[in-house]
Amino acid sequence: MKIFAIGMNYALHNKELHGTLSKTESPVIFTKPDTALLKDGKPFFIPDHLGRVDHEAEMVVRICRLGKSISERFAHRYYDAVTVGIDFTARDLQSQLKAKGRPWDLSKGFDGSAAIGEWVDVQKFRDIQAIRFHLDINGKTVQEGCTCDMMYRVDEIISYISQFFTLKTGDILFTGTPAGVGPVHINDHLEGYLEDRKVLEFNCK
């Protein structure tokens, strides 16, 4: 099982972190190890040695068949379900790594850094590029977005990734975060929603 993620896929998030609304020349892809996966409502233990850890709420897509070099027009056949996920990011460490021109892996792939919720059949939505989602922390909405605002659409991303990696059943794709990222703290209660359906719920420890 592979965990793919895309960075800088929402203009307003790019502006809050980088001061620019511009679209990257190609999708910014990174991966997380399978030990990063956090599911079934298990708590997220905030690593106390990594400094500030931010939540990045995203729509996550589940790959449902084997594929390589997939044409964009056929990409919709390769996923069957979506959910809300949290791409936890060790922000202080990420900034240090970026400043030194090093990869992001340590700040993105630590244990528990890829939280996912309950899967929902993609057929329950009119259009995968018209799904609204949001994250609440302690009952207050802190992030909200719509997949219509993605710079690179789901089918584009899957086609692009498949030029480099063979996709397999069970692989998952974090599709990028909208604006509103921020730190999590011990005892925070996180809830993620697709439209009005709660699909994700867990505590920080």
Side-chain angles (χ1 to χ4, degrees):
M1 188 271 292
K2 299 185 291 298
I3 303 172
F4 298 100
I6 179 169
M8 303 175 65
N9 204 27
Y10 285 82
L12 293 180
H13 170 60
N14 295 350
K15 184 173 177 61
E16 73 179 350
L17 286 190
H18 308 290
T20 177
L21 296 171
S22 61
K23 184 177 181 178
T24 55
E25 291 184 7
S26 59
V28 176
I29 305 297
F30 59 95
T31 60
K32 291 173 178 264
D34 57 5
T35 50
L37 193 64
L38 182 70
K39 59 182 183 177
D40 301 327
K42 293 179 180 177
F44 171 63
F45 290 92
I46 302 173
D48 57 11
H49 64 292
L50 291 182
R52 170 174 162 168
V53 175
D54 281 2
H55 58 78
E56 296 190 7
E58 315 194 3
M59 185 187 75
V60 182
V61 176
R62 184 176 69 190
I63 301 300
C64 64
R65 61 190 294 188
L66 184 72
K68 172 70 174 175
S69 299
I70 302 164
S71 168
E72 186 179 326
R73 66 192 179 107
F74 296 127
H76 66 279
R77 300 178 180 177
Y78 289 82
Y79 53 87
D80 64 351
V82 295
T83 190
V84 170
I86 309 294
D87 166 24
F88 284 112
T89 303
R91 191 69 68 199
D92 294 337
L93 178 58
Q94 185 188 41
S95 297
Q96 295 168 17
L97 293 169
K98 282 183 176 180
K100 296 176 181 177
R102 295 179 180 175
W104 299 354
D105 299 53
L106 295 178
S107 65
K108 287 283 194 176
F110 55 89
D111 289 355
S113 63
I116 60 170
E118 168 195 350
W119 294 109
V120 181
D121 192 321
V122 72
Q123 298 299 324
K124 294 188 178 294
F125 301 95
R126 175 180 58 83
D127 183 351
I128 197 170
Q129 297 301 156
I131 299 175
R132 295 191 174 277
F133 60 96
H134 68 273
L135 172 68
D136 290 0
I137 296 183
N138 303 327
K140 179 182 178 181
T141 298
V142 295
Q143 272 190 280
E144 51 189 333
C146 180
T147 56
C148 62
D149 294 324
M150 286 181 179
M151 290 184 165
Y152 290 99
R153 296 175 291 109
V154 172
D155 291 357
E156 288 181 274
I157 299 167
I158 287 175
S159 177
Y160 181 79
I161 289 175
S162 74
Q163 311 308 310
F164 305 91
F165 300 91
T166 297
L167 297 178
K168 294 185 176 182
T169 300
D171 288 348
I172 61 177
L173 169 63
F174 282 71
T175 58
T177 192
V181 302
V184 291
H185 306 93
I186 292 174
N187 295 325
D188 278 350
H189 182 66
L190 278 64
E191 298 170 293
Y193 293 79
L194 287 176
E195 301 292 350
D196 59 355
R197 177 172 181 164
K198 182 161 68 174
V199 296
L200 176 71
E201 184 173 12
F202 64 96
N203 295 313
C204 292
K205 299 288 187 178

